Amino acid sequence: MIVDCAHYRDGRRQHEGPMPLEEAAARCTLGGFVWLGMFEPGEEELAKVRESFGLHELAVEDARAFHLRPKAEQYEDGTELIILRTARYDDEREEVDTGEISVFLAEHFVITVRQGVASELAGARSRLERRPELLRTGSASTLWAILDQVVDGYAPVVTELERDIEQIEATVFSGTVAPTERIYFLRREATDFYRAVHPLLGVLARRLQAGRAPTELLPYLRDVHDHLLLVNEEVAAQRDLLATVLEANIAVISVEQNRINLRQSATMERLTIVATVFLPLSFVVGFFGQNFAWLVGHIGGFAQFLVLSVCGLVLPCVLLTVWLRRQRRAAAPPVPGVGNGRGGRNP
């Protein structure tokens, strides 16, 4: 839908209230420029705008699609399409909402197509209307106002992401395991944010080239570029920090797993000792609990009971010890330099 449409000339808005699309297209020939703002328009509405202002069909298709990176395209009729990515931090969900603004920039008109909730431009329009000296420079002043608001909106996102990263970092480096899913989510948000910020440096650099922007706007555009450069450096540092935090968290998980394994090993050791203590008793009870006639009839006193029980326990242990030693000797590798007793050499 059309949010606002205004005709600007000599640094001032020429009317109050909404303006029909046909009237806006006609006013482009009266001097100054028209700024048409749209929010998530449909195909029919975009088709009407294209017919009224003579936009290139490929430019309209670009404005309808959602892009991952900002870009700028110049068309033969002199219209330039600049696509910007916006960002806003949602405190309740602790997530970054993104949007997109497509700006059709020509000498006598500016058309902005917004996608997503994080693309509000009312503040940019009202701020520019309070600067008539900048409005007099023409339609390029709207691009400065939009860029300035978009870049200013990046700063709170950087601050909130930094707070989330510090919380995760404090958890990990205190030796406590942090949710790995949360770290991956923050890294994905930082990466998406970086894709919105970094390519915009190239778009701004093109605007700062000689002849591509009015001289009066160059200091303001350079100021936006400096702010954007700072945001880009901070976002890149956040990505690197999250990679380090992820590695540290994996190390903490490994240490915690080793602790669990050690506790399990100690528990198994104690259970083994208990089982070893009760194994002979279980053998004696099981052996003498058999109701065979021979066993019952040949044990008539304590001495016979002692001989049979002790021999029944000691003899298997001795045989098991001998067998284990032979197996160990057979599995041991030969010692270098040890011969057969004749000069220390093997034959």
Side-chain angles (χ1 to χ4, degrees):
M1 65 177 180
I2 296 178
V3 178
D4 195 0
C5 183
H7 177 218
Y8 298 96
R9 187 174 58 192
D10 298 329
R12 296 184 180 277
R13 184 168 181 154
Q14 299 300 307
H15 67 96
E16 295 294 336
M19 179 189 299
L21 186 61
E22 295 76 9
E23 182 182 351
R27 288 202 178 206
C28 291
T29 61
L30 302 179
F33 66 93
V34 172
W35 184 356
L36 171 64
M38 309 180 72
F39 177 71
E40 297 184 354
E43 294 186 6
E44 295 182 1
E45 198 169 16
L46 277 177
K48 291 180 180 179
V49 173
R50 175 193 168 192
E51 294 176 1
S52 300
F53 291 90
L55 301 177
H56 198 283
E57 58 179 350
L58 295 179
V60 175
E61 289 181 4
D62 269 345
R64 189 182 300 118
F66 198 84
H67 303 77
L68 293 177
R69 297 172 178 268
K71 70 172 186 176
E73 295 285 346
Q74 184 78 38
Y75 293 92
E76 296 178 356
D77 59 355
T79 304
E80 188 175 6
L81 173 63
I82 301 100
I83 296 178
L84 311 174
R85 293 290 308 279
T86 60
R88 185 185 68 181
Y89 189 86
D90 192 317
D91 292 326
E92 294 182 1
R93 296 184 292 112
E94 295 186 344
E95 296 180 7
V96 178
D97 294 325
T98 58
E100 183 173 296
I101 302 176
S102 301
V103 183
F104 297 90
L105 183 64
E107 183 179 358
H108 297 293
F109 65 84
V110 177
I111 302 173
T112 55
V113 180
R114 301 189 290 114
Q115 305 282 348
V117 296
S119 58
E120 181 64 38
L121 285 180
R125 186 185 289 266
S126 61
R127 180 181 179 186
L128 185 61
E129 290 178 353
R130 293 193 298 267
R131 305 290 298 274
E133 71 279 6
L134 297 180
L135 267 173
R136 293 190 186 96
T137 62
S139 58
S141 61
T142 61
L143 182 60
W144 163 78
I146 295 170
L147 286 170
D148 189 55
Q149 177 163 320
V150 169
V151 174
D152 285 346
Y154 290 160
V157 178
V158 172
T159 302
E160 295 299 330
L161 283 179
E162 186 71 24
R163 179 178 59 82
D164 292 342
I165 294 172
E166 288 178 355
Q167 291 177 354
I168 293 292
E169 185 182 12
T171 301
V172 172
F173 290 102
S174 66
T176 306
V177 177
T180 306
E181 182 181 0
R182 177 62 175 166
I183 300 177
Y184 273 110
F185 180 78
L186 285 174
R187 181 166 173 78
R188 185 181 64 188
E189 284 193 330
T191 301
D192 291 343
F193 191 30
Y194 181 81
R195 290 173 181 168
V197 172
H198 185 71
L200 190 55
L201 288 171
V203 175
L204 260 174
R206 290 182 57 185
R207 303 303 304 178
L208 289 172
Q209 293 176 359
R212 297 192 64 88
T215 306
E216 297 84 354
L217 289 177
L218 290 179
Y220 299 94
L221 291 175
R222 280 194 290 267
D223 180 67
V224 175
H225 184 270
D226 292 341
H227 291 170
L228 183 63
L229 188 62
L230 179 60
V231 171
N232 179 74
E233 293 175 354
E234 291 178 348
V235 175
Q238 288 177 349
R239 292 176 65 203
D240 297 339
L241 180 59
L242 282 170
T244 304
V245 171
L246 181 60
E247 294 177 358
N249 191 59
I250 294 175
V252 172
I253 292 175
S254 301
V255 171
E256 186 66 24
Q257 189 64 40
N258 290 336
R259 291 176 181 173
I260 294 174
N261 293 336
L262 288 175
R263 288 196 295 267
Q264 291 177 346
S265 299
T267 303
M268 291 299 297
E269 182 179 357
R270 289 192 292 269
L271 292 176
T272 302
I273 294 173
V274 172
T276 304
V277 171
F278 280 94
L279 182 62
L281 301 177
S282 301
F283 173 79
V284 173
V285 172
F287 181 78
F288 289 99
Q290 303 176 92
N291 294 324
F292 293 109
W294 180 88
L295 184 62
V296 176
H298 287 77
I299 300 179
F302 178 75
Q304 294 176 346
F305 170 78
L306 187 62
V307 170
L308 289 175
S309 61
V310 171
C311 291
L313 292 174
V314 173
L315 183 59
C317 292
V318 172
L319 294 176
L320 181 61
T321 302
V322 173
W323 181 79
L324 288 175
R325 287 184 177 180
R326 288 185 178 181
Q327 292 294 324
R328 188 181 304 170
R329 290 176 182 176
V335 180
V338 178
N340 57 0
R342 294 177 297 184
R345 294 180 180 271
N346 294 325

